[in-house]
Amino acid sequence: MTSTSPTAPADPRQFILSITAAIACIVAVGIGLSLSIPLISFALDAKGASRTVIGLNSAMGGVATLVCAPFISGWARRFGVRPVLLWAVALGIVSFLGFLVIEPLWAWFPLRFVFGVALTVLFVLSEYWINAVAPEERRGLVLSIYVTALSLGFAAGPQILTMVGTSGPAPYLVGSALFALSMLPVLIARGIAPSIEEEPSRGFAAFLWAAPAATLAALVFGAAETGAFALLPLYGIATGLDAVAATTLVSFVSLGNLVFQVPLGLVADRIDRRVVLLFCAAVGAIGMATMAFVPMSRTALVVLLFVWGGIVAGLYTVGLAHLGGRFRGADLAQANAAFVVMYSAGLIVGPPLAGFGMDLWPPTGLPATLGALFAAYVGVIVIRLRGSRGGA
C-alpha cells in the first residue's frame, strides 16, 4: 500500500464541491448507460439488425472497459484527473451524437466502443476521486451516497426515454445535454481535484487480486445483478405471474438498492468492512436459497427481492470503501480500475451463467445458480478473515 494520498479539502465548502463533482460524474455514467442501451437497441432494430448483432453491439461497452481500464490511471497521472474527465465527457457527447448522424451499421461498433471508453473513464476516475477525498472515518457513508446516486442515474435513463421517446433526435440531444450539465461541478472544482503523481507500485493485473475481498465483491455483484435483471421477469412468468407483475420484480430489486446503501455504509464505518461484505454475501446466498426452495406468495417474493437487492448491492458500496481503506494515490486509481474491470466481467458472465442454470433446472436454476455464486464468495471472505490480519 502506498503511503501518500490526496486528502479531503480542509474547507468544508471545497469538500462538498469535490464530492459533488465526483457524484455528478457517476450520475452521468448511470444515465449514459441506462439511456443508451435501450435507445441504441431500438435504433439498431429499426435499421433491421438481427438480435445477435444488437447483442454484439451492446457488448462493445464491456470490451471497451476491459481494453482501456488499465491505462486510465496513467492518463490521469500524465494529464490530470480533471482534464481527463472533461475530455471523456466531450468524447461521450460526440460519440453519442454520432449514433444520430452516422448511417453504416458497421460504424456503430467502433462508435459504441468509443462511447464505452468515455463512460469507463468517468466510472474509474469518479470512483478514484470520491475514494481519494473521503475521510476514512466516513468513507462508507460517502461511498454509499455515491452508489445511491449511481442507482438514481440508472433509474433516470429509462424515465427520460418515456418522456422524449426513442426515435428522432430528441433522446440523443437530451442525453448529450445532461452529459454536459454533469460537468459543471467538475469545471467549478478547479484546483481541488485529487492528483496522481507517483507510479503504481505494481502492474495492473496484480490489482485484480491485491484485495480479493473487494474485487471479487465487484465480480459477484455484477454477475448477480445482471443475471437477476435479465432473467427475473422470465422467472416470474414461469412461476405463474402475469407479464406486468413479473416485470416489476426487477423494480423492487432496484428500490432495495436505493434504500439500503446508506445504512450499510454507516455500518461499514464502524466495523471491519470484510465482515459487512460477509454479511451481504450471506444474505445473498440465503435469500436465493429461500427463493429456490420455499414456496411463497407474490407479496413474500417482492419483500424478499427488495431486501435481497438492497443488501447484496452493499457488495459494491462496501467493496469500494474497502479499496479506499487499503490503497492510496496511483495504487488507489489502479485498484479502482481493477474493481470496474471485475464488475464489467461480472456483467458479461452473469446472464449466460444464470440462463444456463435456469435451462438445467427451470425455473429454480436461476436462484440456485445465484445462491451458489454468493456461497462461493462467502467461502473466500471466511478464508481471508481467518488467514490474514489487516489484509484484504
Side-chain angles (χ1 to χ4, degrees):
M1 180 173 88
T2 56
S3 58
T4 58
S5 165
T7 57
D11 186 335
R13 289 172 297 179
Q14 286 191 336
F15 173 72
I16 292 172
L17 178 57
S18 187
I19 294 296
T20 301
I23 288 175
C25 291
I26 204 60
V27 170
V29 172
I31 293 175
L33 283 172
S34 63
L35 187 148
S36 67
I37 290 173
L39 176 62
I40 295 171
S41 294
F42 283 129
L44 285 169
D45 184 65
K47 285 177 170 287
S50 68
R51 298 298 182 269
T52 300
V53 169
I54 293 172
L56 289 172
N57 186 269
S58 298
M60 292 304 293
V63 173
T65 298
L66 298 178
V67 170
C68 79
F71 304 101
I72 293 174
S73 67
W75 298 339
R77 185 173 64 253
R78 181 175 180 184
F79 302 109
V81 171
R82 183 172 167 274
V84 173
L85 282 171
L86 294 174
W87 276 108
V89 170
L91 186 65
I93 291 172
V94 170
S95 57
F96 190 53
L97 291 175
F99 293 108
L100 186 59
V101 297
I102 294 175
E103 288 296 327
L105 192 60
W106 64 265
W108 282 38
F109 283 83
L111 201 60
R112 191 68 173 265
F113 180 87
V114 172
F115 186 63
V117 169
L119 291 180
T120 301
V121 171
L122 290 172
F123 215 148
V124 170
L125 291 186
S126 66
E127 288 189 352
Y128 166 70
W129 186 325
I130 202 159
N131 235 336
V133 302
E136 178 58 27
E137 68 276 8
R138 289 187 290 167
R139 189 181 304 278
L141 173 61
V142 170
L143 286 168
S144 68
I145 295 170
Y146 170 88
V147 174
T148 301
L150 171 61
S151 300
L152 289 171
F154 275 121
Q159 296 304 314
I160 292 169
L161 289 180
T162 63
M163 292 187 289
V164 302
T166 58
S167 59
Y172 298 93
L173 296 175
V174 170
S176 298
L178 290 172
F179 256 80
L181 284 173
S182 73
M183 282 300 100
L184 286 178
V186 180
L187 288 168
I188 297 170
R190 184 180 182 88
I192 61 173
S195 62
I196 303 174
E197 298 177 356
E198 72 278 10
E199 295 273 349
S201 64
R202 65 196 87 178
F204 177 80
F207 283 98
L208 296 172
W209 307 107
T215 53
L216 288 177
L219 176 70
V220 170
F221 174 63
E225 179 187 47
T226 51
F229 280 17
L231 294 168
L232 263 179
L234 299 179
Y235 174 88
I237 290 172
T239 56
L241 300 180
D242 60 53
V244 173
T247 303
T248 60
L249 295 179
V250 173
S251 300
F252 284 98
V253 174
S254 299
L255 184 60
N257 191 331
L258 291 173
V259 170
F260 279 87
Q261 295 321 293
V262 170
L264 286 170
L266 289 169
V267 173
D269 285 336
R270 287 163 173 77
I271 64 175
D272 188 330
R273 291 180 181 125
R274 293 171 300 170
V275 174
V276 184
L277 290 171
L278 177 62
F279 168 75
C280 293
V283 169
I286 293 168
M288 288 297 95
T290 303
M291 187 170 155
F293 299 111
V294 178
M296 61 184 69
S297 65
R298 178 182 180 273
T299 301
L301 179 61
V302 161
V303 171
L304 184 148
L305 289 173
F306 171 77
V307 176
W308 178 85
I311 292 179
V312 301
L315 291 175
Y316 196 95
T317 301
V318 182
L320 269 181
H322 186 50
L323 280 185
R326 288 211 63 216
F327 300 107
R328 301 289 184 267
D331 280 1
L332 177 58
Q334 284 286 65
N336 276 130
F339 190 85
V340 171
V341 164
M342 293 293 270
Y343 175 71
S344 298
L347 301 186
I348 293 169
V349 304
L353 181 66
F356 179 70
M358 201 168 174
D359 282 338
L360 284 179
W361 187 13
T364 307
L366 172 63
T369 301
L370 297 182
L373 188 65
F374 284 111
Y377 178 68
V378 166
V380 171
I381 295 294
V382 169
I383 291 170
R384 300 300 297 180
L385 285 170
R386 286 181 175 178
S388 67
R389 295 190 180 102

